[in-house]
Amino acid sequence: MENKLRGKSAIVGTGHAGFGEAPGLTAYDIMAEAGLAALADAQLKLSDVDGLFCTMMEDSMPALMAAEYLGIRPRFVEGTMTGGSSFVNYITAATMALAAGLCDVVLIVYGSNQRSGSGKLVTASRPPPYEQIYRPRYPISAYALAAARHMHEFGTTREQLADVAVAARAWAQHNPEAFERGDLTREDVLAARMVSDPLTVRDCCLVTDGGGAIVMVRSERARDFPKPPVYVLGCAAESTHRQISQMPDFTVTAARESGARAFAAAGVSPSDIDVVELYDAFTINTVLFLEDLGFCEKGEGGAFVEGGRIAPGGGLPVNTNGGGLSCVHPGMYGIFTVIEATRQIRGDAPGLQIANVDLALAHGNGGTLSSQVTAILGSENTL
C-alpha cells in the first residue's frame, strides 16, 4: 500500500539539556531548556509552536503541564505514554497532524532529573500484580529474563553481550556530550557487579539527568530553516504486552513487525541504512533489535555484535553517540535515538560523524520490551 505520508514532514531543529547531572533543576526545567535549544536550532520562537508532544515520568498530564510551563497555548496536544518509545511514536502523530493542517510547528520534548532526583534505575510504573509477588527488580529483571532465554535458546554468551557495552563506550569516547567516556573492556563488563543474572551493572543503561527535543514542520517549509532538513520516510509501531510475563516469546520483539512496516513505508531495506540508533537500555536490547529489524537472522545477534562489528570502524555504525549505555539515559532514552539520527544525516554529530549519511534508523522501546516503534529518516537525496 502506498505511504501517503512519506516525506511529508521534516525535522528542522534538535536540542538537548542537562546531560549527565543537572543539580537543582526539576524535570520540567530540563524539558524547557531542551525545547528552547531545539527552537533556537531552527531559529524559531516559543510563540511559533502550535503543536506540543510531551510525556514525562512524573506527571499524569505532562503535555498540559509542559504547555503551562512553556507559556504556550498549542492547538494540538499529544501525551500518549508508551514508555521510551513514546517520542519515536510521536513522529507519526506529528506528521499526520501537520499534514492535516491541525498545526504548523511541532515541538516534541522531554526532560528528567532522574540522577539528581533519585539516582536509581527503577521503574516509575505500578508493579505488575502477578509478577510483584516474586520480588523482581524492575525493570532489570524483565530484561534479564529475555537475555537468559536468548542465551539458552541460541547459545548467546555473556561475552557477546559485553561486546555491545564495549562498542557503545567506544562511540562515547569520541563524543564530548557523553556521560561515561572512560575505557571499558569485555573483561570489565564481565567482572562488574551482577545486578540481575546474567546482566551486570555494565550491561545496564546509565542513570543520568537530561532532556531532548525536536522541531517538525511540513516538508514544503523544510528548506526555510538554517539546518539541512531531515525527512520522515516511514514510521511504524507495534506492541505485544505490558508485563514481561505476558510476552509471547522472550526472544522475539514487536520490532519485527514495526521494522518491516517502517521499511516498507520508506521503500528501503536494512542494507540501505547508513546508521542505526537503537534504544539500548540493556545490552540484550541491541542484540534483539538487530535481529528483529532484519540486520541479521534470529539467533545470530550475539555473533553479529562480536569483534567490534557495531563499534567505530566496524561494518555497521550502531548507537553512534554512545547510546543509553554510555551517553545518556534520563529515565527514557527514545528521543535521543531521533536526535542522533537527525544529526548524523545533517552532518553535525557531536562525536564521530559517519560520512555521507542519507538514511538513518531510529528505534524506540517502551516498557519491558512491550512497545516497539521504528522510524526511517532521510536526507533530501532520499525523496
Side-chain angles (χ1 to χ4, degrees):
M1 184 173 68
E2 180 188 2
N3 175 20
K4 296 182 179 180
L5 294 176
R6 187 186 192 277
K8 296 299 183 183
S9 68
I11 297 169
V12 295
T14 69
H16 63 79
F19 267 23
E21 295 177 306
L25 297 183
T26 69
Y28 282 94
D29 293 335
I30 297 169
M31 173 277 300
E33 288 188 6
L36 290 171
L39 289 167
D41 192 49
Q43 292 187 4
L44 289 168
K45 304 182 298 296
L46 271 173
S47 57
D48 295 314
V49 177
D50 57 0
L52 181 64
F53 293 65
C54 176
T55 194
M56 306 279 277
M57 294 184 65
E58 60 179 49
D59 203 296
S60 61
M61 298 183 186
L64 297 182
M65 285 293 296
E68 180 178 276
Y69 188 106
L70 295 170
I72 59 176
R73 297 176 60 172
R75 293 190 289 149
F76 193 94
V77 171
E78 171 60 41
T80 301
M81 171 57 137
T82 58
S85 65
S86 302
F87 310 96
V88 188
N89 206 27
Y90 290 158
I91 290 175
T92 298
T95 299
M96 291 190 293
L98 288 165
L102 300 177
C103 54
D104 297 317
V105 175
V106 164
L107 178 66
I108 300 175
V109 66
Y110 171 69
S112 169
N113 64 343
Q114 186 181 44
R115 184 177 182 87
S116 58
S118 72
K120 297 180 180 179
L121 177 56
V122 293
T123 182
S125 302
R126 180 176 64 88
Y130 301 112
E131 297 179 10
Q132 184 61 22
I133 57 174
Y134 299 102
R135 300 180 69 184
R137 187 169 184 173
Y138 278 112
I140 302 168
S141 294
Y143 289 87
L145 278 173
R149 184 63 194 179
H150 203 278
M151 293 169 72
H152 170 78
E153 192 160 333
F154 302 114
T156 307
T157 66
R158 286 187 60 211
E159 287 79 6
Q160 291 169 337
L161 295 179
D163 282 352
V164 173
V166 171
R169 183 61 59 84
W171 288 108
Q173 288 181 316
H174 296 278
N175 181 4
E177 297 175 355
F179 185 65
E180 288 281 4
R181 285 178 281 166
D183 291 341
L184 186 69
T185 66
R186 177 191 275 189
E187 291 71 28
D188 292 333
V189 180
L190 296 176
R193 175 172 55 89
M194 186 64 70
V195 180
S196 191
D197 194 4
L199 302 179
T200 74
V201 68
R202 294 304 176 196
D203 288 292
C204 302
C205 63
L206 303 173
V207 177
T208 70
D209 298 334
I214 64 172
V215 177
M216 294 178 60
V217 299
R218 284 183 289 276
S219 57
E220 57 262 31
R221 294 185 59 198
R223 296 176 185 171
D224 297 338
F225 299 90
K227 299 291 179 66
V230 173
Y231 296 90
V232 178
L233 305 181
C235 193
E238 184 141 336
S239 59
T240 47
H241 61 283
R242 174 61 185 93
Q243 304 177 103
I244 192 67
S245 59
Q246 302 306 304
M247 188 173 180
D249 183 337
F250 287 161
T251 69
V252 181
T253 74
R256 182 176 61 179
E257 286 75 28
S258 68
R261 285 188 277 110
F263 280 121
V268 299
S269 67
S271 61
D272 298 317
I273 300 297
D274 298 310
V275 295
V276 178
E277 310 298 339
L278 305 174
Y279 195 131
D280 59 341
F282 303 92
T283 52
I284 187 61
N285 292 37
T286 301
V287 171
L288 289 171
F289 299 154
L290 287 171
E291 292 175 348
D292 293 337
L293 293 169
F295 292 96
C296 61
E297 295 297 320
K298 176 55 63 180
E300 296 179 0
F304 187 86
V305 301
E306 278 186 312
R309 189 168 186 175
I310 62 172
L316 182 66
V318 175
N319 292 348
T320 48
N321 61 347
L325 290 168
S326 282
C327 180
V328 64
H329 195 292
M332 295 188 286
Y333 177 73
I335 196 164
F336 302 104
T337 68
V338 180
I339 291 172
E340 177 65 10
T342 298
R343 293 164 103 180
Q344 285 287 343
I345 292 172
R346 294 194 321 195
D348 60 0
L352 278 181
Q353 172 65 55
I354 307 302
N356 304 316
V357 175
D358 282 321
L359 283 168
L361 181 148
H363 182 79
N365 164 72
T368 51
L369 297 171
S370 314
S371 167
Q372 306 298 324
V373 187
T374 311
I376 310 295
L377 307 177
S379 69
E380 194 168 66
N381 297 334
T382 64
L383 295 181

